[in-house]
């Protein structure tokens, strides 16, 4: 669905998914720094948690895209600088792309090792019975890590841009991504 000139906020489901995905991405990314510092016997649990939550992010991002395309949303934010507005629109598309790329690459890496994806209560089975060549899976992991770093960097810029709108431009942009009347 297109932008609605009357919508002042995003659909509550979009708002909930936005903040839930942001938190999960931060946790999943943070776990990569944790597993080097935990006792050896806890590393598999931390990696399994990383994989399970990462897969959850993939499912939530797909749900968010479906809901976003099927509900009215506020008009694109305007900063007063057309060039920055275009960059902002491009950044949103790139955020969706990176969210999908990082999670799909993560699933691909796990599957390339002939491993299932643990979800706590169940496991998504491995599609391969034999791992692919170590160099291939290592390359997939490296691209996954590079894309994850790019995602975090862009998410930080996105957050700073939202704060710029809120506190410098004072256009109450953050209100659009909160719960309340539409």
């Amino acid at each position: 669905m297109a932008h609605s000139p009357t919508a002042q906020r995003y659909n509550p489901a979009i708002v909930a998914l936005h903040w839930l995905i942001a938190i999960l991405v931060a946790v999943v990314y943070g776990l990569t720094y944790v597993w080097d510092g935990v006792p050896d016997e806890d590393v598999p649990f931390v990696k399994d948690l990383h994989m399970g939550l990462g897969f959850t992010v993939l499912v939530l991002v797909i749900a968010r895209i479906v809901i976003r395309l099927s509900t009215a949303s506020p008009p694109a934010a305007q900063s007063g600088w057309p060039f920055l507005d275009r960059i902002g629109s491009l950044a949103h598309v790139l955020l969706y792309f990176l969210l999908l790329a990082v999670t799909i690459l993560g699933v691909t890496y796990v599957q390339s090792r002939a491993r299932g994806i643990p979800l706590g209560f169940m496991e998504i089975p491995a599609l391969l019975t034999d791992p692919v060549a170590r160099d291939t899976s290592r390359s997939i992991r490296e691209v996954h890590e590079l894309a994850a770093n790019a995602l975090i960097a862009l998410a930080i810029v996105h957050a700073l841009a939202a704060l710029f709108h809120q506190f410098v431009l004072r256009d109450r942009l953050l209100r659009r991504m909160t719960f309340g009347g539409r």
Side-chain angles (χ1 to χ4, degrees), residues 2-150:
H3 297 292
S4 168
T6 59
Q8 294 180 5
R9 296 177 194 254
Y10 284 95
N11 180 291
I14 293 291
V15 173
L17 287 170
H18 174 274
W19 295 111
L20 181 58
I21 290 167
I23 290 166
L24 285 174
V25 165
V27 169
V28 170
Y29 189 79
L31 286 171
T32 65
Y33 291 95
V34 170
W35 67 55
D36 287 336
V38 299
D40 290 344
E41 63 270 10
D42 294 334
V43 171
F45 170 77
V46 175
K47 287 186 176 185
D48 285 354
L49 186 60
H50 172 85
M51 288 184 281
L53 292 177
F55 186 79
T56 302
V57 168
L58 174 60
V59 171
L60 294 175
V61 168
I62 292 169
R64 181 176 173 180
I65 291 169
V66 168
I67 295 167
R68 175 74 173 79
L69 292 174
S70 62
T71 60
S73 61
Q78 301 294 311
S79 67
W81 295 293
F83 177 72
L84 289 180
D85 295 341
R86 277 188 236 109
I87 289 175
S89 294
L90 178 63
H92 281 98
V93 171
L94 190 54
L95 278 168
Y96 279 113
F97 172 78
L98 286 171
L99 282 164
L100 289 171
V102 169
T103 54
I104 291 169
L105 284 163
V107 168
T108 304
Y109 170 69
V110 172
Q111 292 289 317
S112 77
R113 302 303 308 141
R115 291 195 54 206
I117 299 170
L119 297 176
F121 58 93
M122 65 176 272
E123 182 172 290
I124 296 172
L127 299 176
L128 302 175
T129 54
D130 295 318
V132 300
R134 197 154 195 70
D135 288 346
T136 301
S137 69
R138 184 175 294 125
S139 294
I140 295 167
R141 187 189 72 222
E142 288 172 359
V143 175
H144 168 70
E145 292 170 358
L146 180 65
N149 289 333

